[in-house]
Amino acid sequence: MRPRRLRALAPNEQQELHTRGRLVVEQVTGPALAAGLRTGDVVLGVNGAGVGTVADLKREVAKAGHSVALLIQRDESQIYIPVELG
């Protein structure tokens, strides 16, 4: 599932994107790309749990089974993207 690269959003970026999310996808490959995750998506949660740091995201993915549901914000929409972990 691992997006290749995530980074924290700066407060001004959060304002510009109108989001409370704190993680943005900078690069994505593999199963996450195949599932539809895109560069610029803001990750809000994993399997119903909010995530604010990369450590939060890793912890929730580690607890998951073979797939996760990522809640992301893309533009003005929030959508779930199911990702097979393998």
Side-chain angles (χ1 to χ4, degrees), residues 50-65:
V51 293
T53 66
V54 173
D56 292 343
L57 182 132
K58 286 180 179 181
R59 182 182 62 248
E60 293 303 322
V61 169
K63 292 190 311 189

Side-chain angles (χ1 to χ4, degrees), residues 9 11-21 24 40-42 73 75-76:
L9 282 169
N12 65 319
E13 291 176 305
Q14 285 179 299
Q15 280 185 318
E16 288 173 19
L17 296 172
H18 307 287
T19 187
R20 292 184 180 170
V24 64
D41 286 346
V42 177
Q73 179 175 328
D75 300 319
E76 299 297 320

